[in-house]
Amino acid sequence: MSPSTRNQVFIEMLETLSRDYLQGKEDVLRLSVIALLSGGHILIEDLPGLGKTTVALTLAAITGLSFGRVQCTSDLLPSDITGLSVFNRDEGQFSFQPGPIFNNIVLLDEINRAMPRTQSAMLEAMEERRVTVEGVTHHLPGPFMVFATQNPSDQSGTFPLPESQLDRFLICTDIGYPPRALERGIIAGGGIRERISDMTPLVTQDDIMTARRDVHSVYLSDKVLDYIHALIIATRSDELIQTGLSTRAGINLAQASRASAYLAGRDYVAPDDVRNTAVAVCAHRLVMRGGELSASERGIVLRTIIDRIPLPLV
Amino acid sequence: MVSIRLIAAILTYAIGLCGILPLFPWLTTVPRLVLAAGLLAGLWQDSRKSWLIKPWMQNSVIVPVFLYYAVQFSRANPIQPVVSLLAIMLAVRLAGEKTVRHSLQIHVLALFCLASSSLFDLSPMFLLYLGLMLFLVAIALILLAFQSQENSMLLSRAELRKVLLAGCLMPLLSLPLLLVFFPILPRTQLPLWNFLSSPAVRTSGYSDKVEPGVQPNVGESRALAFRAEMARQQQQQLYWRGSVFNRLQENRWVRVEGIPSEQPVSGGVSIDQLIYPEPSVSRVLIALDRPADIRLTRLKRSPDGVFEYTGPLGRRINYQARSVTAGAVAANAPLNRRFYLHLPEGIPPRITGLAGEIGRLGRNDLERLTLLETHFRNGNYRYSMSGLPTGERALEQFIFDGKQGHCEFFASAFAVLLRGAGVPCRLVGGYVGGDYNQLGGYYLVSEDMAHVWVEAFIEGRGWLRIDPSSFASNAGEVWNPEKSRSLMLRLRLSLDYLNYQWNRTVIVYDFEQQFEFVRRAGKRLHGINPAGIIGSGWPYLAAISLFGTLLYMIRNTTLFRRREERILRRFLKRVGTEFGIDAGQGRMGLFEIAERVGNERVGEFAAIYSGAVYRDRRLTDQEYRRLRQILRELNQARKAL
C-alpha cells in the first residue's frame, strides 16, 4: 500500500468510531488520533462525566493497544505509576513490577490532583519514553500515548500543571456537552462501556507505526511553513499575551498539521490543517497577561490572532 | 507581498507611455510601428518572464538606425530625424528586459520624447504629461534603488504605500525649488555665450549721435546688437532703421526736438518681425526700414518714424514690429523744408561752393540728388575704417582731399552737400545687413553692422533712402554679402541659436506671460466637459485612463499574475457570487470553503489546486484545463438554476 492509501484505514476507523460509538465527539476523536499519529500526548480539560475516559478507552480498544489507567490523587507516588522492584522470594532477587505507564495508551485521570513530584515523573516519562527505576532504564512500549484529563472547575487541593509541563502536551482540548438530540440518545442507550470490550480492532500496532512514518513524510511547503512561523511570531507580539509560542510549539504545530493532512487523505499540508489544529495545539501553551484564563478563553484569543493572518493561497 | 521588480516594470511602462503618447501623433509611420511593436513585445515578454530579446540585439539594432537618421539630419530638417531616433531607441529599450540600467535609460528617453513633443505642440497637455512623469519617475527611482540592492525584493502593502507616498512627496516638495529655478533664477540677464564674443574696444557701432572725425581708427566689435525673427529677405533690403538725426551742430549730427509732423502713407509689402535687442543704453527701437508700427507698452513714437522705449533701461525686452519695405515712403502733408535744410554757421566755403554748384545745375531736387550721387560715384571715394581725417575740418578733408572714411563720413558729407544744394534731407542711424540663422529663422545683427545713411525728401515721392557709403569705389568688397560664410561664422550662428533660444524662452519670456500661460492651461482644463473629452480631447482621455490603469494595476495586478493566481481569483470570485462566501485576502482556506459549500466541484478544485500549490509546484496544463472546466461548470450550474 502506498502512503496515500494507507491513511484510508485511519479515516475509516475515525468514521466508525464517530458513527457507532462516540457520536458528537468527532473533534476530540480526531485530535486524539492526530496525537497518536504524530507521537504526542493529549490533555483533555473538561468537567467529569463528559466521556473523557470513554474516548481513551475506545481509542485503545479500536487500535488493539494495551490500556493503563492512573487515577491521580494527592498521595500518588511516582512509583505508583512507573512500577517498582519487588523482592521475589523464590528467585531470591528483586524483580521489576512495571506500573500502569507500561501500556500503549495511558489514561492519567485528573492529573492536576497529583503532587508536583509525581506530575514531573509522569511528564518525564512522557517526554523520554522511558522510565528509570533503581538505576535500570526501562523503555516504554512501541506506540505510547498519554491521555491526561484535568478538571478545570474543581481547584481546591489541586496542583495546576506549570506552563513548562503543559508545553509537553501536543494537544489540549475540551470535549463539551453533546448536542441535545445526541445527549438524549446517549442517556436512553446508556453508556457504551459494555460494548467497548466487544470492539474488534480496526488497525494494528504496525499500521500505527507505519502511519507515524508516513505522517512524518507529509510534504510541508515553504508557504505553509511561513504561515506557521507568522502565527508563532504574531503570538509573541500580541498585547494580551505575556509569553508567546515557543519553537517547540511550532514543531508540534507542524507535526499535528501533518497528521491532520494525513487524516484528510492528503500527502501535503494545506493551511487549513494548520488553522484547524492550531488552537488545540497552541492555546494551552500561551501565558496570558492579567492572570489566568481558561483554556477556552485562551483559544478565543488565539483564534482572533489566527484570523488576522491571511492564509497563503498562492 | 508585492515584488518590487513588478512595480518598477509597471512604472517603467507608464513612464514610457507618458513619453510616447504626446509624441505619437507627430511621428512618421515607421517609428510609430516600431514603438507599438516594442511596447507589445516588452509586455508579452514581461508577462512570460523570459526575454527573447537580448541586450546585444538591442544595441546592434540601434547602430544602423542611428546612422540612418544621422544621414537624414540637416538644418532644414532637424527635428524629425532626432525625434524618430529617440522614439525608436525608446521602443527598443521597452522591448527588452527591464534591468535597473535599462529602466533608467527608458526614463531618460521617455523624458526626451516628451520634451521633443513640445517642439511640435506646446499644449497644456504637455504640462499634464510632464507632471505625471515627474511623479512616476520619482517613485520609480526609489523602487529602482531598492531593486539595484536586491533584485527580488518583496514589499508588503504597508511598505509599498510608504514608498509610494515618499515618491509622491518628493516632486511636491521640490515644487518650491522648481519655482525658484524656473521663473526667478534664469532672469539673471546674462547671455550664455557672451564670453565667445571678442571684447568690445569702443568701437564702431550704433550711437545716438553721428560725429565723424573724432578718432583716426575705429575698431570693429562683433558684439550682438539684436536678433530679428522673420522670414528671410533680400540682402539689399536689410536696412534696420533706428534713430534719425536732423540737425548738424558744428561737426556733430544730433537729433533735436520740434520735429515737424508728417504723415507717412503706408504702402508696399509689409513684413512682420519679432525683435530681441540686447540690453543697451539706447532707447531707440530698431526695426527693418521702414517701421510702420511697433507693438510695445511704454512706447514713444516720433513723426519721423523713430520709436523710443520709455521703460527702464538695461532690461531684456522684445517687441513685434511691422515694416513697409518700399524704398520711398510717401508723405502727404507739405513738408517743413526749413527744418530739414538747416545748416549751421561756418560751413567751409569749399563745401558750400560744391553744394551751390549742384544746386544751380539741378533743375529740381531729384536732379540735384542724382548729380550729387554721380559726384560721389565718380569721386573715387573709398570706404575705410582707418586713416580717417580728424579735427574740425574732417568733413572737408574727406570730401576734397582724403576721400576715405566710413559711413558716418559718407552720410554726413552727403547730407551736408544735399542741404547745401537745397534738398531737404536727414541722417538715419541703424544697421545694415545681417546673418540669417536658418536653424532659428532669425537675423543676427551685430554692432559692426551699425550704419548711417541719408533720407532725402523728393516732392511727389516722399523720403528716399540713399546710402552714400554704397557709392564708394570699394563698396563691392565691403558690402559683399558672401563675405564671411566661413566655418567660424557657421559655428557662431549655431552657438548663437542656443543663446537666442535661451533668451527667447527663458529670459525675455516674462513672468506675466508665463503666468498667463499657466492660467490659460488651467482654464482650458477647467472647461472640459465629458462630451468634449471624447470629441476632441483624446489626450486628456489618454492621460486619465493611463492614470486609472496604473492605479488599477497597482491595486490588483492580474495582468502580470501567474495563472495559479489568476485562476484562484476567478475561483474565489465564483465562490463568492455562487455561495455567498467572502473568502478574499486569505481569510479562508480552500478546504474550509469546500467543506462549508459542500459542493463536489468546489472540493475537487480545492484538491487539485492545493495539490499543486502546497506541493510547491506549478499547475500542469492538464490540471489547469480541469480547473477552468470546473469553473465553467460552476457557472453553468448557476445558469441552469
Side-chain angles (χ1 to χ4, degrees):
Chain A
M1 277 199 289
S2 73
S4 54
T5 52
R6 278 199 292 267
N7 54 18
Q8 286 305 319
V9 190
F10 288 92
I11 294 167
E12 276 167 27
M13 181 191 90
L14 265 177
E15 278 175 9
T16 312
L17 279 178
S18 52
R19 189 180 60 234
D20 298 341
Y21 300 97
L22 298 164
Q23 295 91 344
K25 298 194 173 54
E26 289 86 0
D27 286 343
V28 71
L29 260 176
R30 210 177 119 264
L31 289 172
S32 308
V33 178
I34 285 173
L36 180 67
L37 293 186
S38 42
H41 311 287
I42 186 168
L43 174 66
I44 299 178
E45 200 170 40
D46 218 327
L47 301 170
L50 287 177
K52 293 181 293 233
T53 318
T54 316
V55 171
L57 272 172
T58 322
L59 194 63
I62 206 145
T63 50
L65 296 174
S66 64
F67 181 79
R69 176 177 185 151
V70 181
Q71 186 66 45
C72 297
T73 52
S74 55
D75 56 354
L76 186 76
L77 292 173
S79 60
D80 294 336
I81 297 170
T82 57
L84 68 168
S85 295
V86 177
F87 187 74
N88 191 328
R89 199 178 294 181
D90 300 339
E91 292 175 16
Q93 59 178 357
F94 283 93
S95 67
F96 180 66
Q97 291 294 314
I101 206 161
F102 285 88
N103 279 299
N104 295 115
I105 291 179
V106 179
L107 176 66
L108 296 173
D109 222 351
E110 308 216 41
I111 189 171
N112 53 344
R113 296 213 163 269
M115 315 182 276
R117 191 159 74 106
T118 315
Q119 282 177 357
S120 82
M122 287 187 296
L123 294 162
E124 194 190 335
M126 281 161 57
E127 187 70 21
E128 306 293 325
R129 284 155 210 286
R130 62 183 181 208
V131 171
T132 306
V133 179
E134 287 154 20
V136 184
T137 300
H138 306 275
H139 284 275
L140 297 177
F144 172 68
M145 180 185 170
V146 169
F147 244 89
T149 71
Q150 173 162 264
N151 183 350
S153 69
D154 187 7
Q155 295 295 321
S156 60
T158 60
F159 305 92
L161 287 174
E163 284 87 18
S164 61
Q165 310 283 38
L166 278 174
D167 205 22
R168 305 217 171 150
F169 286 98
L170 178 74
I171 282 169
C172 174
T173 184
D174 57 359
I175 291 186
Y177 295 110
R180 179 184 154 83
L182 275 176
E183 193 165 26
R184 283 167 53 102
I186 294 167
I187 296 168
I192 57 155
R193 286 285 174 87
E194 298 77 28
R195 290 160 60 202
I196 288 173
S197 50
D198 304 335
M199 281 169 78
T200 46
L202 287 180
V203 295
T204 64
Q205 206 161 321
D206 282 345
D207 286 339
I208 294 171
M209 297 315 277
T210 323
R212 282 190 172 182
R213 279 196 295 279
D214 288 342
V215 164
H216 200 69
S217 62
V218 165
Y219 186 82
L220 179 72
S221 91
D222 276 352
K223 297 165 195 141
V224 183
L225 188 60
D226 285 342
Y227 179 60
I228 292 175
H229 194 241
L231 204 161
I232 294 176
I233 297 290
T235 62
R236 292 177 187 165
S237 58
D238 194 278
E239 55 185 8
L240 290 174
I241 298 169
Q242 187 178 335
T243 310
L245 292 173
S246 64
T247 310
R248 176 157 54 192
I251 297 171
N252 288 352
L253 182 55
Q255 272 178 337
S257 302
R258 282 189 164 112
S260 168
Y262 183 78
L263 286 179
R266 284 184 265 114
D267 61 352
Y268 57 89
V269 180
D272 303 61
D273 299 318
V274 180
R275 213 161 127 125
N276 292 340
T277 51
V279 172
V281 173
C282 302
H284 62 285
R285 302 170 205 249
L286 296 173
V287 181
M288 309 301 289
R289 251 185 247 281
E292 282 295 301
L293 285 169
S294 75
S296 62
E297 285 168 316
R298 281 184 281 201
I300 291 167
V301 171
L302 186 61
R303 179 57 65 193
T304 59
I305 294 173
I306 292 170
D307 286 343
R308 277 210 303 267
I309 303 167
L311 293 173
L313 290 183
V314 188
Chain B
M1 290 302 213
V2 200
S3 153
I4 276 204
R5 252 174 96 158
L6 176 71
I7 306 174
I10 294 173
L11 283 174
T12 302
Y13 279 114
I15 291 165
L17 279 177
C18 271
I20 291 169
L21 284 179
L23 188 61
F24 203 76
W26 309 102
L27 289 173
T28 53
T29 315
V30 176
R32 279 186 184 186
L33 289 179
V34 174
L35 264 180
L39 195 64
L40 290 178
L43 282 171
W44 178 65
Q45 290 177 98
D46 267 325
S47 64
R48 291 180 64 230
K49 298 214 180 339
S50 72
W51 286 270
L52 295 175
I53 299 175
K54 305 278 180 254
W56 66 265
M57 294 185 199
Q58 301 175 316
N59 295 338
S60 47
V61 164
I62 295 254
V63 174
V65 173
F66 177 79
L67 289 177
Y68 174 75
Y69 283 114
V71 172
Q72 299 267 305
F73 181 83
S74 70
R75 279 231 307 243
N77 178 24
I79 296 173
Q80 203 63 36
V82 172
V83 166
S84 301
L85 182 66
L86 274 175
I88 290 178
M89 281 166 77
L90 180 58
V92 168
R93 273 291 170 251
L94 279 173
E97 190 181 352
K98 313 291 176 295
T99 59
V100 174
R101 182 187 164 89
H102 288 173
S103 296
L104 285 174
Q105 287 173 353
I106 290 172
H107 298 174
V108 172
L109 285 170
L111 198 62
F112 282 164
C113 279
L114 180 63
S116 60
S117 78
S118 69
L119 295 177
F120 298 102
D121 174 31
L122 191 64
S123 70
M125 283 313 300
F126 174 79
L127 268 185
L128 206 68
Y129 280 119
L130 187 68
L132 191 60
M133 191 180 261
L134 210 67
F135 278 96
L136 291 177
V137 167
I139 298 168
L141 282 179
I142 297 180
L143 291 175
L144 287 176
F146 281 121
Q147 196 188 334
S148 67
Q149 288 298 311
E150 197 192 320
N151 203 13
S152 54
M153 187 182 274
L154 294 175
L155 282 184
S156 70
R157 282 186 188 280
E159 288 168 327
L160 184 68
R161 207 168 301 136
K162 224 180 275 175
V163 168
L164 291 181
L165 196 69
C168 291
L169 272 179
M170 283 205 307
L172 283 182
L173 291 179
S174 65
L175 218 59
L177 281 180
L178 206 76
L179 283 176
V180 172
F181 281 121
F182 182 59
I184 298 164
L185 203 65
R187 291 161 210 292
T188 54
Q189 310 272 343
L190 288 172
L192 270 185
W193 310 101
N194 210 16
F195 59 94
L196 286 173
S197 313
S198 51
V201 234
R202 178 65 211 158
T203 74
S204 74
Y206 183 85
S207 64
D208 282 347
K209 57 181 190 291
V210 175
E211 194 175 10
V214 177
Q215 285 168 311
N217 296 303
V218 179
E220 288 205 358
S221 160
R222 294 293 284 176
L224 180 68
F226 64 92
R227 300 182 181 89
E229 198 180 312
M230 60 195 285
R232 189 161 195 173
Q233 305 294 321
Q234 284 186 328
Q235 199 71 17
Q236 292 83 354
Q237 289 286 350
L238 293 178
Y239 280 87
W240 310 94
R241 196 167 192 268
S243 187
V244 167
F245 308 102
N246 45 27
R247 181 70 49 98
L248 182 66
Q249 289 178 348
E250 294 170 5
N251 289 319
R252 186 188 303 152
W253 282 90
V254 293
R255 178 173 179 78
V256 295
E257 294 302 319
I259 300 156
S261 68
E262 54 185 286
Q263 291 226 315
V265 177
S266 56
V269 192
S270 75
I271 296 168
D272 286 316
Q273 314 131 64
L274 195 55
I275 299 194
Y276 297 85
E278 288 291 299
S280 76
V281 291
S282 169
R283 293 186 179 277
V284 175
L285 298 173
I286 313 278
L288 195 66
D289 195 31
R290 181 173 171 185
D293 189 24
I294 285 180
R295 248 178 285 161
L296 189 69
T297 51
R298 290 187 275 202
L299 184 74
K300 185 182 148 212
R301 184 190 175 134
S302 304
D304 54 358
V306 172
F307 294 84
E308 278 171 300
Y309 177 56
T310 53
L313 285 172
R315 266 186 62 185
R316 276 187 189 279
I317 51 168
N318 65 335
Y319 50 90
Q320 275 201 325
R322 193 168 53 79
S323 300
V324 184
T325 57
V329 178
N332 54 3
L335 188 78
N336 183 346
R337 291 178 70 96
R338 268 195 51 186
F339 186 79
Y340 286 112
L341 284 173
H342 178 271
L343 281 173
E345 299 294 314
I347 298 283
R350 276 211 282 181
I351 297 180
T352 44
L354 178 61
E357 193 188 330
I358 290 169
R360 277 193 302 281
L361 284 173
R363 280 165 297 175
N364 57 25
D365 286 354
L366 190 59
E367 276 191 23
R368 292 175 192 122
L369 182 63
T370 320
L371 276 173
L372 188 57
E373 187 183 324
T374 319
H375 174 83
F376 266 76
R377 280 195 194 280
N378 300 336
N380 201 20
Y381 289 90
R382 281 180 57 80
Y383 190 89
S384 172
M385 301 294 281
S386 56
L388 307 173
T390 51
E392 282 193 6
R393 289 158 52 78
L395 208 58
E396 189 187 357
Q397 278 178 25
F398 167 72
I399 297 173
F400 298 103
D401 308 325
K403 295 194 172 184
Q404 82 176 18
H406 50 68
C407 57
E408 290 189 15
F409 285 95
F410 277 91
S412 190
F414 199 87
V416 169
L417 288 170
L418 262 189
R419 284 195 175 182
V423 181
C425 67
R426 60 198 182 193
L427 249 63
V428 178
Y431 297 84
V432 66
D435 297 318
Y436 195 66
N437 193 329
Q438 274 174 328
L439 212 57
Y442 63 89
Y443 275 104
L444 184 68
V445 178
S446 49
E447 284 296 345
D448 63 340
M449 294 175 187
H451 196 52
V452 179
W453 63 90
V454 173
E455 278 180 356
F457 188 83
I458 307 297
E459 206 68 57
R461 288 185 64 184
W463 289 101
L464 282 183
R465 183 178 70 215
I466 303 136
D467 184 0
S469 304
S470 66
F471 305 147
S473 58
N474 61 346
E477 294 164 37
V478 179
W479 302 104
N480 183 1
E482 297 303 318
K483 60 179 175 178
S484 49
R485 284 275 146 200
S486 63
L487 186 69
M488 272 310 288
L489 178 69
R490 278 162 68 180
L491 181 69
R492 206 168 71 85
L493 284 177
S494 303
L495 286 177
D496 185 78
Y497 176 62
L498 292 176
N499 204 353
Y500 161 71
Q501 285 298 349
W502 173 256
N503 286 336
R504 191 188 130 95
T505 53
V506 181
I507 295 180
V508 179
Y509 208 68
D510 66 83
F511 187 71
E512 280 128 53
Q513 270 174 297
Q514 281 176 348
F515 190 75
E516 177 63 22
F517 181 78
V518 171
R519 212 174 56 86
R520 236 180 16 236
K523 219 168 160 182
R524 272 199 228 174
L525 286 178
H526 203 67
I528 294 172
N529 61 335
I533 293 178
I534 295 151
S536 60
W538 73 265
Y540 297 93
L541 198 66
I544 290 164
S545 60
L546 181 82
F547 197 69
T549 319
L550 209 75
L551 272 181
Y552 178 78
M553 279 158 107
I554 288 170
R555 276 187 63 80
N556 70 29
T557 49
T558 342
L559 282 176
F560 291 89
R561 285 195 168 158
R562 288 178 297 146
R563 64 182 183 187
E564 284 83 359
E565 295 178 59
R566 283 202 298 271
I567 200 147
L568 178 72
R569 280 181 66 85
R570 282 180 58 193
F571 170 75
L572 292 178
K573 212 169 152 189
R574 174 75 58 237
V575 166
T577 55
E578 205 84 344
F579 305 101
I581 290 179
D582 179 18
Q585 313 286 333
R587 269 198 292 276
M588 277 167 91
L590 292 185
F591 291 105
E592 194 181 346
I593 293 171
E595 197 185 326
R596 179 126 19 132
V597 166
N599 183 302
E600 232 174 79
R601 292 198 189 89
V602 176
E604 191 186 349
F605 186 100
I608 295 176
Y609 180 85
S610 305
V613 166
Y614 298 122
R615 271 206 200 88
D616 286 337
R617 64 173 176 81
R618 307 288 300 267
L619 286 168
T620 63
D621 289 343
Q622 201 184 347
E623 285 170 338
Y624 185 62
R625 276 198 296 276
R626 177 65 197 141
L627 291 180
R628 287 177 56 167
Q629 199 190 337
I630 290 171
L631 288 178
R632 273 198 299 277
E633 284 170 9
L634 281 172
N635 204 16
Q636 278 160 10
R638 186 184 57 160
K639 278 177 185 161
L641 288 172

